[in-house]
Amino acid sequence: MKVRIDGVTKDYRTLWMEGQTIKLIDQRKLPHRFEVTTLENHRDTAKAIKDMVMRGAGAIGVAGGYGMAQAALEASEMMQPEFEKYIQKAAVTLKDTRPTAANLYHAIERCLNAASIGSIQERVSSVINEAGAVASEDLYASEQIGIVGSELIEDGSAVLTHCNAGALAFIDYGTALSPVRFAHRQGKKVFVFVDETRPRCQGARLTAWELEQEGIPYTLIVDNAAGYFMRRGEVDLIIVGADRIASNGDVANKIGTYEKAVVAHENGIPFYVAAPRMTFDLNCPSGDHIEIEERDGAEVTGMWGVDEKGCPTKVLIAEEKTPVRNPAFDITPSKYVTGFITEVGLLKPPYTDAISSSFLKE
Ligand code: RUB
């Protein structure tokens, strides 16, 4: 993704591996400060996933894979039984961070398999290669999603998106924002309504920042305003990302997605979900089986930002003791989804068949 710092534009990935460390853009500091931070070992990586230093299904999947590569390197001098114990424990530590995104689970399982055959040195190299393959596949998928999805965006369209399913939620390009990026690069006029996305405001802080960097016109709206703009006919289509998609097409995505889908349906607005196959969970029959992460109530009673001098600060908007429920995701039933934009094409209903046959394609 393009990042403009002091008038100079540079290309960045959301996260990458350097030796045994992971480097990543600290998403908690954006848009006020651009900072690259370093994670020294797999425990740091697990904590960074939990604390949302990086977030988004694709990005945490890649971080999970890299975290496993760190663990393998940490254990490279051990004997086989200790190596196996260490790797298994690291997998649990990394998985126990955020339960909803399928990508994290899949990436860790792939690395665990890679760690199971050969000499210790061979196992270490296999895990590193597998983690690298997860990252390359993510990158390829997000580029293809952009190409497939840009065909759905006509010149002059207004797209509404929720949360951040942009380059920062992936390695680059993103899912929901990738079609927008490609349409913009093809010279189409495209405008984006950016939902603020309480409580952590990934729309206001991250999606708005990404669109600003790319010079794509956008406007920030509060979550409650999306229905207003849809009813006025100002929104042509909605594209969101996903954290886990059940085999029947039910979608877990950032809290508030469900309401957007229902209001879009009511107003005859196409509602697309952009996601790579890593986000689909064929073992999960429906949205009712998806575990929804509940996060700390402090995210709802307080807000983080900077003061007028640019110093990081937290303000309380409700009394700290206020009882809070804070589900991070919700389920959108597949009947509200117009299509899935994937790296192997646009999937249309009936979804159970379309999803299972998409896994037969190369
Ligand atoms: C992120 C979120 C995003 C999906 C899309 O939630 O809900 O829409 O993860 O992911 P959080 P991707 O900020 O809580 O992680 O674009 O990576 O597939």
Side-chain angles (χ1 to χ4, degrees), residues 28-29 32-33 303-315:
R28 296 165 310 176
K29 309 236 165 94
H32 308 292
R33 254 188 29 221
M303 285 195 78
W304 289 259
V306 293
D307 63 17
E308 63 282 0
K309 292 193 182 105
C311 295
T313 188
K314 179 189 174 185
V315 292

Side-chain angles (χ1 to χ4, degrees), residues 52 55-60 98 101 103 162-166 169-170 174-176 200 202 240-243 252-255 274-276 279 293 295 328-329:
M52 296 175 69
R55 25 63 51 206
I60 63 177
R98 300 198 71 194
N103 310 51
H162 191 63
C163 193
N164 173 264
F170 238 76
T175 50
R200 291 187 69 106
Q202 290 95 326
V240 297
D243 287 85
N253 191 49
K254 181 53 55 195
I255 191 79
T279 307
E293 174 186 7
R295 295 188 59 89
F329 304 99

